[in-house]
Amino acid sequence: MIVPPGPLKVMVATKPVDFRKGAVSLAALVEHELGLKPFSGVVFIFRSKRANRIKLLVWDGTGLVLVSKVLQTGGFHWPRAHDGVLRLSASQASALFEGLQWSKMHMPRIQVPVTTL
């Protein structure tokens, strides 16, 4: 997958979207309905009603990249559908993209080093 440089930030739109939407329509949805910036380099993940299809939208610095995946059997594991977004770590997003149970993975807590003077 093509991703922007630096640490990967992933946001999941928990409410299903109309899968006829393209990159520009999904970017407008991110901005107007989710209140986030679609051109920030964050990866936004959207689901279909049946939860067997996902779309990933990311600004790579030169344009919008839209990736779509359809599972042939089964479905993607999703949180309960409600308005809003859910933040995932890069490893959780990778598991979601593979159709695995992403919620079983934990986000590591990064401790800020304590500096003494």
Side-chain angles (χ1 to χ4, degrees):
M1 181 171 80
I2 301 168
V3 295
L8 185 65
K9 294 181 183 176
V10 181
M11 303 298 281
V12 175
T14 57
K15 186 177 178 183
V17 298
D18 180 353
F19 255 50
R20 295 174 289 183
K21 290 184 184 289
V24 174
S25 298
L26 290 173
L29 186 145
V30 166
E31 188 170 15
H32 298 294
E33 291 189 29
L34 303 179
L36 300 170
K37 297 178 182 177
F39 305 107
S40 62
V42 173
V43 177
F44 295 96
I45 302 178
F46 303 92
R47 64 168 282 184
S48 66
K49 275 189 179 181
R50 288 186 258 157
N52 67 335
R53 296 180 290 166
I54 62 172
K55 285 188 177 182
L56 285 70
L57 178 72
V58 64
W59 173 260
D60 72 352
T62 61
L64 286 170
V65 178
L66 183 63
V67 177
S68 179
K69 183 170 183 176
V70 179
L71 287 181
Q72 295 302 310
T73 59
F76 293 99
H77 298 275
W78 290 97
R80 290 189 179 160
H82 65 282
D83 290 337
V85 293
L86 174 69
R87 184 170 180 175
L88 296 183
S89 69
S91 59
Q92 288 173 322
S94 180
L96 171 67
F97 192 74
E98 294 299 324
L100 302 173
Q101 185 70 32
W102 62 268
S103 61
K104 302 264 185 207
M105 303 183 77
H106 72 285
M107 286 203 324
R109 293 182 184 234
I110 300 172
Q111 294 185 353
V112 178
V114 178
T115 58
T116 58
L117 299 174

Coordinates of all heavy atoms in Angstrom, one line a residue, residues 51-90:
A51 N -20.3 -5.1 5.5 CA -19.0 -5.3 6.2 C -18.0 -6.3 5.5 O -17.1 -6.8 6.1 CB -19.2 -5.7 7.6
N52 N -18.3 -6.5 4.2 CA -17.3 -7.4 3.5 C -16.4 -6.6 2.5 O -15.6 -7.1 1.8 CB -18.0 -8.5 2.7 CG -18.9 -7.9 1.5 OD1 -19.3 -6.7 1.6 ND2 -19.1 -8.7 0.5
R53 N -16.6 -5.2 2.5 CA -15.8 -4.3 1.7 C -15.3 -3.2 2.5 O -16.0 -2.7 3.4 CB -16.7 -3.8 0.5 CG -17.2 -4.9 -0.4 CD -18.0 -4.3 -1.5 NE -19.3 -3.9 -1.0 CZ -20.1 -3.1 -1.7 NH1 -19.8 -2.7 -2.9 NH2 -21.3 -2.8 -1.1
I54 N -14.1 -2.7 2.2 CA -13.6 -1.5 2.9 C -12.9 -0.7 1.8 O -12.5 -1.2 0.7 CB -12.6 -1.8 4.0 CG1 -11.3 -2.6 3.5 CG2 -13.2 -2.6 5.1 CD1 -10.2 -2.7 4.5
K55 N -12.8 0.6 2.1 CA -12.1 1.6 1.3 C -11.1 2.3 2.2 O -11.5 2.7 3.3 CB -13.0 2.5 0.6 CG -13.7 1.9 -0.6 CD -14.5 3.0 -1.4 CE -15.1 2.3 -2.6 NZ -15.9 3.3 -3.4
L56 N -9.9 2.5 1.7 CA -8.9 3.3 2.5 C -8.7 4.6 1.6 O -8.5 4.5 0.4 CB -7.6 2.6 2.6 CG -7.6 1.5 3.7 CD1 -8.4 0.3 3.3 CD2 -6.2 1.1 4.0
L57 N -8.7 5.7 2.3 CA -8.4 7.0 1.6 C -7.3 7.7 2.3 O -7.3 7.8 3.6 CB -9.7 7.9 1.7 CG -9.5 9.3 1.1 CD1 -9.5 9.2 -0.4 CD2 -10.7 10.2 1.6
V58 N -6.3 8.1 1.6 CA -5.1 8.8 2.1 C -4.6 9.8 1.1 O -4.6 9.6 -0.1 CB -4.0 7.8 2.6 CG1 -3.4 7.1 1.4 CG2 -2.9 8.6 3.4
W59 N -4.2 11.0 1.7 CA -3.5 12.0 0.9 C -2.0 11.7 1.0 O -1.4 11.6 2.1 CB -3.8 13.4 1.4 CG -3.0 14.5 0.8 CD1 -1.9 15.1 1.3 CD2 -3.2 15.1 -0.5 NE1 -1.4 16.0 0.4 CE2 -2.2 16.1 -0.7 CE3 -4.2 14.9 -1.5 CZ2 -2.2 16.9 -1.8 CZ3 -4.1 15.7 -2.6 CH2 -3.1 16.7 -2.7
D60 N -1.3 11.4 -0.2 CA 0.1 11.1 -0.1 C 1.0 12.2 -0.4 O 2.2 12.1 -0.5 CB 0.4 9.9 -1.1 CG 0.3 10.4 -2.6 OD1 -0.1 11.5 -2.9 OD2 0.7 9.5 -3.4
G61 N 0.5 13.4 -0.4 CA 1.3 14.6 -0.6 C 1.1 15.2 -2.1 O 1.4 16.3 -2.3
T62 N 0.7 14.3 -3.0 CA 0.5 14.7 -4.4 C -0.9 14.5 -4.9 O -1.3 15.1 -5.9 CB 1.5 14.0 -5.3 OG1 1.2 12.6 -5.2 CG2 2.9 14.3 -5.0
G63 N -1.6 13.7 -4.2 CA -3.0 13.4 -4.6 C -3.7 12.4 -3.6 O -3.0 11.9 -2.7
L64 N -5.0 12.2 -3.8 CA -5.7 11.3 -3.0 C -5.5 9.9 -3.5 O -5.6 9.6 -4.7 CB -7.2 11.6 -3.0 CG -7.6 12.8 -2.2 CD1 -9.1 13.2 -2.5 CD2 -7.4 12.6 -0.7
V65 N -5.3 8.9 -2.6 CA -5.1 7.5 -3.0 C -6.3 6.8 -2.4 O -6.6 6.9 -1.2 CB -3.8 6.9 -2.4 CG1 -3.7 5.5 -2.8 CG2 -2.6 7.7 -2.9
L66 N -7.0 6.0 -3.2 CA -8.2 5.3 -2.8 C -7.9 3.8 -3.1 O -7.7 3.4 -4.2 CB -9.4 5.7 -3.5 CG -10.8 5.1 -3.1 CD1 -11.1 5.4 -1.7 CD2 -11.9 5.5 -4.0
V67 N -8.0 3.0 -2.0 CA -7.7 1.6 -2.1 C -9.0 0.9 -1.7 O -9.6 1.3 -0.7 CB -6.6 1.1 -1.2 CG1 -6.4 -0.4 -1.2 CG2 -5.3 1.8 -1.6
S68 N -9.4 -0.1 -2.4 CA -10.7 -0.8 -2.1 C -10.4 -2.3 -2.0 O -9.5 -2.9 -2.7 CB -11.7 -0.6 -3.2 OG -12.9 -1.3 -3.0
K69 N -11.0 -3.0 -1.0 CA -10.8 -4.4 -0.9 C -12.1 -5.1 -0.6 O -12.9 -4.6 0.2 CB -9.8 -4.7 0.3 CG -9.6 -6.2 0.5 CD -8.4 -6.5 1.4 CE -8.1 -8.0 1.5 NZ -7.0 -8.3 2.4
V70 N -12.4 -6.2 -1.2 CA -13.6 -7.0 -1.0 C -13.1 -8.4 -0.6 O -12.3 -9.1 -1.2 CB -14.4 -7.2 -2.3 CG1 -15.6 -8.0 -2.1 CG2 -14.8 -5.8 -2.9
L71 N -13.6 -8.9 0.6 CA -13.3 -10.2 1.1 C -14.2 -11.2 0.3 O -15.4 -11.0 0.2 CB -13.6 -10.3 2.6 CG -12.6 -9.7 3.5 CD1 -13.0 -9.9 4.9 CD2 -11.2 -10.2 3.2
Q72 N -13.7 -12.3 -0.2 CA -14.4 -13.3 -0.9 C -15.3 -14.1 0.0 O -16.4 -14.5 -0.4 CB -13.5 -14.2 -1.7 CG -12.7 -13.5 -2.8 CD -13.6 -12.8 -3.8 OE1 -14.5 -13.4 -4.3 NE2 -13.4 -11.5 -4.0
T73 N -14.9 -14.4 1.2 CA -15.7 -15.1 2.2 C -15.6 -14.3 3.5 O -14.6 -13.7 3.9 CB -15.2 -16.5 2.4 OG1 -13.8 -16.5 2.8 CG2 -15.3 -17.3 1.1
G74 N -16.6 -14.4 4.3 CA -16.6 -13.7 5.6 C -16.8 -12.2 5.5 O -17.2 -11.7 4.5
G75 N -16.4 -11.6 6.6 CA -16.4 -10.1 6.6 C -15.4 -9.5 7.5 O -14.7 -10.2 8.2
F76 N -15.2 -8.2 7.4 CA -14.3 -7.5 8.2 C -14.8 -7.4 9.6 O -16.1 -7.3 9.8 CB -14.0 -6.1 7.6 CG -13.2 -6.2 6.4 CD1 -13.9 -6.0 5.1 CD2 -11.8 -6.4 6.3 CE1 -13.2 -6.1 3.9 CE2 -11.1 -6.4 5.1 CZ -11.8 -6.3 3.9
H77 N -14.0 -7.3 10.6 CA -14.4 -7.2 12.0 C -14.5 -5.7 12.3 O -13.5 -5.0 12.2 CB -13.5 -7.9 13.0 CG -13.4 -9.3 12.7 ND1 -14.3 -10.2 13.3 CD2 -12.6 -10.1 12.0 CE1 -14.0 -11.4 12.9 NE2 -12.9 -11.4 12.1
W78 N -15.7 -5.2 12.7 CA -15.9 -3.8 12.9 C -16.5 -3.5 14.3 O -17.1 -4.4 14.9 CB -17.0 -3.3 11.9 CG -16.5 -3.2 10.6 CD1 -16.6 -4.2 9.6 CD2 -15.6 -2.2 10.0 NE1 -16.0 -3.8 8.5 CE2 -15.4 -2.6 8.7 CE3 -15.1 -1.0 10.5 CZ2 -14.6 -1.8 7.8 CZ3 -14.3 -0.3 9.6 CH2 -14.1 -0.7 8.3
P79 N -16.2 -2.3 14.8 CA -16.9 -1.9 16.1 C -18.4 -1.7 15.8 O -18.8 -1.7 14.6 CB -16.2 -0.6 16.5 CG -15.7 -0.1 15.2 CD -15.3 -1.3 14.3
R80 N -19.2 -1.6 16.8 CA -20.6 -1.3 16.6 C -20.7 0.0 15.7 O -20.0 1.0 16.0 CB -21.3 -1.1 17.9 CG -21.4 -2.4 18.6 CD -22.4 -2.3 19.8 NE -22.4 -3.6 20.4 CZ -22.8 -3.8 21.6 NH1 -23.2 -2.8 22.4 NH2 -22.9 -5.0 22.1
A81 N -21.7 0.0 14.8 CA -21.9 1.1 13.9 C -22.5 2.3 14.7 O -23.6 2.1 15.4 CB -22.8 0.7 12.8
H82 N -21.9 3.4 14.7 CA -22.4 4.6 15.3 C -21.7 5.8 14.6 O -20.7 5.6 13.9 CB -22.1 4.7 16.8 CG -20.7 4.7 17.2 ND1 -19.9 3.6 17.2 CD2 -19.9 5.7 17.6 CE1 -18.7 3.9 17.6 NE2 -18.6 5.2 17.8
D83 N -22.2 7.0 14.8 CA -21.5 8.1 14.2 C -20.2 8.4 14.9 O -20.0 8.2 16.1 CB -22.4 9.4 14.4 CG -23.7 9.3 13.5 OD1 -23.6 8.6 12.5 OD2 -24.6 10.0 13.8
G84 N -19.2 8.8 14.1 CA -17.9 9.1 14.7 C -16.8 8.3 14.1 O -17.0 7.6 13.1
V85 N -15.6 8.4 14.7 CA -14.4 7.7 14.2 C -13.8 7.0 15.4 O -14.0 7.3 16.5 CB -13.4 8.7 13.6 CG1 -14.0 9.3 12.3 CG2 -13.0 9.8 14.5
L86 N -12.9 6.1 15.0 CA -12.2 5.3 16.0 C -10.7 5.3 15.5 O -10.5 5.1 14.3 CB -12.7 3.8 16.0 CG -12.0 2.8 16.8 CD1 -12.2 3.1 18.3 CD2 -12.5 1.4 16.5
R87 N -9.8 5.6 16.4 CA -8.4 5.6 16.0 C -7.8 4.2 16.2 O -8.0 3.5 17.2 CB -7.6 6.6 16.8 CG -6.2 6.7 16.4 CD -5.5 7.8 17.0 NE -4.1 7.8 16.5 CZ -3.2 8.7 16.7 NH1 -3.5 9.7 17.5 NH2 -2.0 8.6 16.2
L88 N -7.0 3.8 15.2 CA -6.4 2.5 15.3 C -4.9 2.7 15.1 O -4.4 3.6 14.5 CB -6.8 1.5 14.1 CG -8.3 1.1 14.1 CD1 -8.5 0.1 12.9 CD2 -8.7 0.5 15.4
S89 N -4.1 1.8 15.7 CA -2.6 1.8 15.4 C -2.4 1.2 14.1 O -3.3 0.6 13.4 CB -1.9 0.9 16.5 OG -2.2 -0.4 16.3
A90 N -1.2 1.3 13.6 CA -0.8 0.8 12.3 C -1.0 -0.7 12.2 O -1.5 -1.3 11.3 CB 0.6 1.2 11.9

